[in-house]
Amino acid sequence: MIKKYTLHLYILLGVYLILYFISTIFQSKFFGDILSPIGTLISFFILIYVYKKSERFKGVWLTLSLGSLIWSITDILWAICELLIRINPENITIFDFFYLGTNICIVTAGYIYMKKFIKGVNLVQFFIDVSAISISCFIIFGLLFLHGSFNLFIKNANNIIEFIYIITDLLIINCILSGLFSVRKGKLTKGVYITILGTAIYAVVDLVYVYEYFYNLYVPNSIIDFMYATSLLIIAFGGLTVLKYSNFEWADEFYSKTKNIGSEKKGLYLLLTIPVYVIFGGFDFSKILVLLYIFVAYEILSNYVQKAINNETLLTYEKDINLILEEKIKERTKELLLKNQELEYISNHDPITNVYNRRYLNKRLQCIINEKKLDNQVTILYIDVDGFKTINDTYGHDIGDYVLIEISDRLKKTVKENNILARLGGDEFVIIIEGKLSKEEIKNICEKLINSCKETIYSDNYLFNVTISIGVAMFPHDAISRNVIMKNADIAMYDAKSKGKNRYSFFDSHVSNEILEKGEIELLLRNVDYDKEFELYYQPQIDINTNKLIGVEALIRWHSPIMGNIPPNKFIKIAEETGSIEKIGQWVMNTAAKQIGIWNEKFDSNIRMSINISPNQLVSIDFASDLEKIMKKYGLKSDWIDIEITENIAMKGEGIFKQIFLTLDNMGISISIDDFGTGYSSLSYIQKFSFNRLKIAKELIDNITIDLNKRHIVKAIVMLSEGLNILTIAEGVETEDQLNIVKEIGCNQVQGYVYSKPVTADRFEKEFLLQI
Ligand code: C2E
Ligand code: CA
């Protein structure tokens, strides 16, 4: 929407132009002299306004406004001379000089504009454009203005001012045409085109003026003067339009980008010189040929340059693309690098505790060992959380993980930064310490680690008192290969566990063999064929007074096809640790029960079968009912079975064991306390439970012939038992002397090599049962 005042301004200008035009028809001096300065003054004010408001090309607008001002002042002086002083101003040459100021201002404005405009042009093309235009202008000017004769020009050009007029006009025209020619890509704004139109009109009109002046044809206040004022007003109008549609983004791009590339049609404009010439100068073939020649030369040169530019653009485009590509590759590489780092972190760390994992540990340890010479030391601490399985099974994996994280944090805080802490999996951690350390220093570290883990762990709802066991092995002292050193540290850790946990143990090659064997047995137990590999041996139990067979103890034997005969002392403990004892116990109970059933049936006897029961079996709720089922199955009487329980177990608790003992007692099954006298025997507890028999440990019998102390102890046990109505059986009696002593002391029964070693069922039957 055009604002009201601008509308008024346009109407006023319209009226002004009409009035001025009419005045020129009548060649009115009065109106001409008054209207001309008014128009140019308006132009001046508008341009000054544009100068103030505009943010770009301020210099252009200032010089243009100055041009208008100079014109209007000269016009006013002219009017004063003509209308007031009544002197013919045409005779005052200084006016020509004043009016020239406007020309110079416009040329300056053009220069300022071109300076900026030229920044984004291809200079070679620009040079060709300017040359072609200048030559064409020069020829047209020469042909039309000087009718082909430069002598005329030289003759009349004694007035320097006229000469400058022509030069400035030609410069303005050249500047405009070169500018327009150079815009092959993009477009100037409407306002700029209008301004250019104004200046073009000004320059052409000025040339016409000089021409008329040259040939004495000029009439003041004619259409020429009107055109001057009009051209300045058009320039001002152009300025206003530029202000209205100024678009900085467009301008920034337009003036910085190469705009004289592309469109080959521009050159065709040069052909316009031919009709211009024909119209104003008549048909002259040779002259036309010259103009045509300029066109062709221009086209060839231009084409060549454009192609070169094009190639260069393609090249830079390619370079740009390459740069972008390179940038993209760089970015991608960076991403990949990050991903790689992430992956490497994941592949080297344990996801739960965030400490290193087994993979990394193995890799690192191998590297360290490879690097180290044998006089360097690497210490491996193999750590296992005691009883972690119970925590995991009882409280679930989340709590288990929580405990592991806490433990790993404590370990991390205790060791030095350069030590490597890794989780091998489960509840096992390893710490690698490089550098010489004395045994004392290592002990210190282990103690610190144990103490730091000992402190109560608090989780939301629970608190845990966790301990750790540590095995220590050193490179190169204990081994020089990674595998062996890790295995040795593991063995040492097992040793610490077997010594009661919550402690550390240094690797010792003696312990190592035991533990290795233990591992092997563990493995074999997993796949043992019960009926093929296990066998029960039987050892008689004899009434000391009557010398009669009253019972038999079933003792398991393992004939392993791989390790040969493995004694029960070795594998029962392992079976208890690994949990396979329950199944073994079941097998023993079943076999022994079946055997005693057969024997007592066959020989019509009442011999009692003693079966060793592991504590793990005993705590099972089903123990009593299982036994009952087996007894039923083989039709056993209750007094055919005796259960042997070790002393330590019997002492352990009152609760659950008391209950079991009561149940067994109610079933009429006899219970013997095995190995009595070796543990923390507390004679007082015997009375608490209903036992039937005490088996006096072999250790007490061993030196009984010479060791009076032992003899007293055995005596005390026997006396106490008598008082409580509990039978006693002396175990491991090997010699007649021993037999006599225990008999003398008052033991009721005896078992030992003195009568027989444990033997196979067949032998037992032959040697003992058939004798009854
Ligand atoms: P234990 O219950 O104390 O068994 C007595 C051990 O002493 C047997 O060893 C037996 O052969 C041995 N022995 C008996 N008389 C003499 C003797 O005069 N001199 C010597 N030197 N040794 C004698 P064995 O059969 O090697 O069994 C060792 C241990 O293994 C048993 O000690 C028992 O604790 C355990 N065991 C054996 N069989 C079973 C079983 O079926 N179940 C369970 N849970 N444990 C069993
Ligand atoms: Ca026994």
Side-chain angles (χ1 to χ4, degrees):
M1 202 180 80
I2 304 169
K3 284 185 189 163
K4 235 179 183 174
Y5 65 88
T6 33
L7 191 72
H8 288 164
L9 181 75
Y10 290 154
I11 294 170
L12 218 74
L13 279 174
V15 171
Y16 164 81
L17 288 171
I18 293 166
L19 276 178
Y20 196 6
F21 185 70
I22 295 168
S23 101
T24 55
I25 293 171
F26 297 103
Q27 292 185 350
S28 157
K29 266 189 196 170
F30 179 75
F31 284 107
D33 286 351
I34 287 176
L35 287 174
S36 180
I38 289 176
T40 47
L41 257 182
I42 291 171
S43 166
F44 162 69
F45 284 121
I46 291 174
L47 283 168
I48 268 292
Y49 170 77
V50 173
Y51 157 72
K52 283 213 159 153
K53 289 276 165 190
S54 69
E55 297 195 17
R56 266 154 211 280
F57 298 113
K58 267 181 152 355
V60 173
W61 301 120
L62 186 66
T63 40
L64 285 176
S65 64
L66 193 68
S68 290
L69 182 67
I70 291 172
W71 190 277
S72 54
I73 288 171
T74 319
D75 262 3
I76 291 166
L77 292 176
W78 180 287
I80 289 170
C81 279
E82 193 160 60
L83 299 178
L84 296 178
I85 311 175
R86 304 259 172 213
I87 304 170
N88 188 2
E90 281 179 70
N91 298 333
I92 303 171
T93 41
I94 192 114
F95 280 113
D96 284 339
F97 183 72
F98 284 156
Y99 283 123
L100 187 64
T102 306
N103 281 30
I104 287 166
C105 282
I106 292 173
V107 169
T108 312
Y111 171 74
I112 296 169
Y113 180 77
M114 282 314 267
K115 233 172 87 177
K116 172 108 194 205
F117 177 89
I118 216 166
K119 267 190 186 149
V121 298
N122 178 285
L123 285 176
V124 181
Q125 181 65 56
F126 186 68
F127 176 74
I128 296 169
D129 289 351
V130 172
S131 307
I133 287 161
S134 306
I135 295 168
S136 304
C137 278
F138 189 71
I139 291 173
I140 294 274
F141 170 78
L143 293 177
L144 296 181
F145 203 95
L146 306 171
H147 305 297
S149 160
F150 281 91
N151 288 339
L152 187 73
F153 178 72
I154 294 160
K155 208 170 70 192
N156 284 297
N158 48 7
N159 191 338
I160 185 86
I161 291 174
E162 263 84 69
F163 181 71
I164 296 171
Y165 266 111
I166 293 164
I167 292 295
T168 48
D169 289 336
L170 286 178
L171 268 176
I172 293 166
I173 288 166
N174 250 340
C175 180
I176 289 168
L177 292 178
S178 308
L180 290 176
F181 241 67
S182 290
V183 185
R184 289 171 176 242
K185 221 161 63 183
K187 247 183 173 181
L188 292 160
T189 49
K190 219 160 81 186
V192 179
Y193 279 121
I194 295 170
T195 313
I196 288 172
L197 178 73
T199 36
I201 293 172
Y202 179 89
V204 172
V205 168
D206 202 46
L207 270 181
V208 173
Y209 162 76
V210 178
Y211 181 85
E212 286 187 351
Y213 184 84
F214 229 63
Y215 296 102
N216 277 325
L217 299 169
Y218 175 68
V219 182
N221 296 316
S222 64
I223 189 85
I224 294 246
D225 291 6
F226 167 76
M227 285 310 285
Y228 270 128
T230 309
S231 67
L232 289 175
L233 278 170
I234 292 173
I235 290 171
F237 178 65
L240 276 181
T241 320
V242 166
L243 263 195
K244 206 163 153 191
Y245 298 106
S246 60
N247 176 342
F248 295 140
E249 271 170 39
W250 165 88
D252 278 341
E253 207 188 309
F254 179 81
Y255 289 107
S256 65
K257 255 197 179 159
T258 329
K259 40 202 164 283
N260 59 349
I261 303 174
S263 172
E264 286 139 32
K265 286 175 224 146
K266 282 268 157 156
L268 292 173
Y269 289 118
L270 279 180
L271 288 175
L272 283 176
T273 48
I274 296 167
V276 168
Y277 175 71
V278 173
I279 292 166
F280 294 103
F283 193 85
D284 182 339
F285 188 68
S286 62
K287 306 279 164 35
I288 288 170
L289 214 62
V290 172
L291 290 172
L292 255 177
Y293 175 75
I294 292 169
F295 165 75
V296 172
Y298 173 79
E299 276 298 289
I300 290 168
L301 277 174
S302 216
N303 235 347
Y304 176 77
V305 172
Q306 285 294 327
K307 257 189 197 133
I309 294 171
N310 223 4
N311 284 345
E312 203 187 298
T313 318
L314 277 178
L315 205 76
T316 28
Y317 177 71
E318 211 171 285
K319 268 187 197 160
D320 283 353
I321 293 253
N322 268 348
L323 270 179
I324 291 169
L325 217 70
E326 258 170 43
E327 206 56 42
K328 277 249 150 66
I329 289 170
K330 254 189 217 160
E331 240 168 65
R332 194 89 195 102
T333 322
K334 216 166 141 191
E335 258 170 48
L336 279 176
L337 231 67
L338 274 177
K339 266 259 145 25
N340 254 2
Q341 273 171 357
E342 217 172 280
L343 272 180
E344 188 157 307
Y345 185 87
I346 291 170
S347 69
N348 286 335
H349 285 79
D350 168 48
I352 294 171
T353 58
N354 261 335
V355 298
Y356 290 116
N357 58 14
R358 180 190 288 272
R359 204 184 94 96
Y360 178 81
L361 179 95
N362 284 344
K363 214 167 54 184
R364 232 2 250 287
L365 186 58
Q366 191 62 57
C367 277
I368 293 170
I369 285 177
N370 288 348
E371 274 170 23
K372 295 280 169 194
K373 291 188 188 117
L374 290 178
D375 55 349
N376 279 317
Q377 185 190 327
V378 181
T379 309
I380 313 287
L381 306 181
Y382 203 111
I383 300 164
D384 189 279
V385 182
D386 300 327
F388 180 73
K389 194 174 175 297
T390 323
I391 295 177
N392 235 357
D393 293 348
T394 321
Y395 299 96
H397 288 278
D398 286 348
I399 296 285
D401 288 354
Y402 178 80
V403 170
L404 283 181
I405 292 167
E406 186 61 34
I407 291 283
S408 73
D409 282 351
R410 291 178 184 193
L411 296 176
K412 209 188 289 173
K413 272 183 205 149
T414 313
V415 294
K416 283 189 184 152
E417 283 243 333
N418 58 349
N419 298 158
I420 296 159
L421 168 66
R423 180 180 166 223
L424 290 189
D427 57 347
E428 289 179 338
F429 294 90
V430 164
I431 294 168
I432 302 178
I433 307 169
E434 288 181 64
K436 265 218 154 28
L437 285 177
S438 68
K439 208 160 180 176
E440 279 314 306
E441 283 170 320
I442 299 175
K443 278 181 184 172
N444 254 338
I445 295 171
C446 288
E447 267 156 27
K448 266 191 205 158
L449 289 169
I450 287 170
N451 289 336
S452 76
C453 292
K454 221 191 258 172
E455 277 169 37
T456 309
I457 295 175
Y458 296 91
S459 88
D460 287 346
N461 300 316
Y462 312 100
L463 50 94
F464 301 96
N465 286 311
V466 178
T467 57
I468 54 167
S469 296
I470 307 175
V472 186
M474 284 169 280
F475 166 92
H477 180 270
D478 298 325
I480 51 165
S481 84
R482 174 178 65 82
N483 273 343
V484 181
I485 197 147
M486 282 292 282
K487 201 176 69 194
N488 289 351
D490 188 15
I491 287 168
M493 189 273 291
Y494 262 104
D495 184 50
K497 285 238 176 208
S498 67
K499 282 178 180 155
K501 303 175 177 171
N502 190 25
R503 68 191 66 216
Y504 58 87
S505 213
F506 279 82
F507 172 75
D508 175 342
S509 52
H510 300 300
V511 181
S512 149
N513 292 336
E514 246 173 61
I515 290 178
L516 283 180
E517 191 181 62
K518 193 178 155 195
E520 253 173 284
I521 291 174
E522 232 178 272
L523 209 71
L524 288 177
L525 267 179
R526 257 182 247 163
N527 306 306
V528 69
D529 183 331
Y530 281 70
D531 291 323
K532 263 193 195 151
E533 296 179 39
F534 286 141
E535 189 188 3
L536 286 185
Y537 271 38
Y538 300 95
Q539 190 178 30
Q541 295 176 339
I542 310 291
D543 185 299
I544 215 162
N545 296 315
T546 60
N547 225 7
K548 273 195 173 156
L549 177 79
I550 46 102
V552 53
E553 181 175 1
L555 292 157
I556 194 166
R557 295 292 175 264
W558 182 8
H559 313 292
S560 161
I562 294 160
M563 281 182 77
N565 290 339
I566 306 169
N569 276 338
K570 261 188 191 162
F571 75 85
I572 292 291
K573 219 174 138 193
I574 300 168
E576 278 170 351
E577 277 171 23
T578 55
S580 49
I581 191 67
E582 283 178 43
K583 222 171 147 195
I584 296 174
Q586 276 277 338
W587 182 88
V588 170
M589 220 151 72
N590 205 62
T591 316
K594 189 178 168 187
Q595 188 63 68
I596 198 63
I598 294 169
W599 280 338
N600 278 341
E601 284 289 321
K602 195 169 165 187
F603 300 102
D604 191 21
S605 53
N606 265 321
I607 295 161
R608 212 188 276 271
M609 176 66 80
S610 282
I611 305 171
N612 290 288
I613 300 296
S614 146
N616 299 35
Q617 272 173 281
L618 208 61
V619 289
S620 151
I621 313 160
D622 302 327
F623 177 74
S625 64
D626 282 352
L627 181 61
E628 209 172 5
K629 268 183 222 155
I630 291 172
M631 285 169 65
K632 241 188 210 151
K633 186 173 161 193
Y634 299 114
L636 308 188
K637 287 184 193 160
S638 61
D639 57 359
W640 290 358
I641 295 288
D642 172 70
I643 297 296
E644 289 194 10
I645 301 153
T646 56
E647 178 194 352
N648 293 348
I649 299 309
M651 275 179 68
K652 257 210 176 133
E654 296 187 11
I656 185 160
F657 291 108
K658 191 171 186 176
Q659 189 57 45
I660 292 162
F661 298 149
L662 260 175
T663 317
L664 294 174
D665 196 38
N666 288 340
M667 284 162 65
I669 290 166
S670 138
I671 300 169
S672 299
I673 305 292
D674 212 355
D675 289 332
F676 191 81
T678 48
Y680 312 93
S681 310
S682 159
L683 295 175
S684 60
Y685 88 95
I686 300 175
Q687 56 195 343
K688 286 190 189 163
F689 307 117
S690 43
F691 298 124
N692 304 79
R693 190 167 63 164
L694 279 185
K695 292 190 81 176
I696 299 166
K698 181 175 172 292
E699 281 83 345
L700 288 175
I701 307 298
D702 274 348
N703 290 324
I704 202 160
T705 48
I706 44 168
D707 190 336
L708 275 178
N709 245 348
K710 282 191 178 169
R711 209 180 291 188
H712 289 314
I713 295 169
V714 176
K715 179 86 193 157
I717 294 170
V718 171
M719 279 172 65
L720 187 80
S721 305
E722 272 172 2
L724 292 168
N725 219 6
I726 294 171
L727 291 171
T728 47
I729 176 168
E731 253 192 300
V733 179
E734 292 180 344
T735 63
E736 287 290 334
D737 288 347
Q738 288 173 344
L739 181 67
N740 287 334
I741 290 171
V742 291
K743 195 173 176 182
E744 199 181 291
I745 287 172
C747 276
N748 308 105
Q749 300 163 1
V750 68
Q751 178 183 344
Y753 291 178
V754 72
Y755 284 103
S756 168
K757 285 190 172 180
V759 290
T760 59
D762 280 350
R763 258 184 82 178
F764 189 83
E765 195 174 319
K766 270 184 215 140
E767 286 175 19
F768 296 98
L769 296 172
L770 288 170
Q771 315 298 324
I772 301 172

